[in-house]
């Protein structure tokens, strides 16, 4: 009886949804973007807060604005193409990336 109760609790527990920022597309590529971070004290624990950034397409139009992320860097899904990543914290940093060569990419700003 105890094992069946434990199994029921494991099956019925809510799963944490994946945190993914995305543009609507049929074929997406995952990009982990590591921005400058700072350690902050939040309700009894120290946490890492990663700086916000923007993603612009090849014409310079901002297509995504990513807010500050806590505890882990942002993971975004982008379609094939050339994009400009830009953050202003602590200073203006820009980096061009080309999506489509690999299904996953890690960018450090």
């Amino acid at each position: 009886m105890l094992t069946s109760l434990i199994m029921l609790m494991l099956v019925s527990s809510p799963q944490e949804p994946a945190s993914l920022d995305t543009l609507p597309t049929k074929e997406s590529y995952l990009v982990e973007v590591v921005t400058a971070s700072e350690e902050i004290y939040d309700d009894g624990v120290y946490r890492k807060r990663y700086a916000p950034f923007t993603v612009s397409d090849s014409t310079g139009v901002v297509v995504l604005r990513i807010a500050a992320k806590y505890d882990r860097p942002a993971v975004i899904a982008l379609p094939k193409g050339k994009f400009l990543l830009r953050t202003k914290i602590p200073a203006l940093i820009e980096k061009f990336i080309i999506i489509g060569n690999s299904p996953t990419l890690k960018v450090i700003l």
Side-chain angles (χ1 to χ4, degrees), residues 15-103:
Q15 299 295 322
E16 181 180 328
S19 175
L20 186 67
D21 297 304
T22 176
L23 288 174
T25 180
K26 291 181 182 178
E27 187 176 1
S28 295
Y29 298 87
L30 295 180
V31 181
E32 179 182 26
V33 182
V34 181
T35 56
S37 65
E38 65 179 338
E39 194 171 274
I40 60 167
Y41 186 76
D42 182 26
D43 199 25
V45 295
Y46 285 96
R47 299 175 70 186
K48 265 191 166 181
R49 180 173 57 193
Y50 291 89
F53 63 96
T54 60
V55 180
S56 302
D57 64 9
S58 59
T59 62
V61 176
V62 174
V63 293
L64 281 175
R65 292 184 192 278
I66 308 301
K69 297 291 183 183
Y70 289 87
D71 303 322
R72 62 182 98 157
V75 176
I76 59 176
L78 295 171
K80 217 178 233 190
K82 184 176 180 180
F83 296 92
L84 172 66
L85 304 178
R86 180 181 293 150
T87 184
K88 296 180 181 176
I89 298 173
L92 179 64
I93 300 172
E94 297 179 332
K95 187 176 271 191
F96 281 99
I97 60 170
I98 298 175
I99 305 295
N101 298 332
S102 172

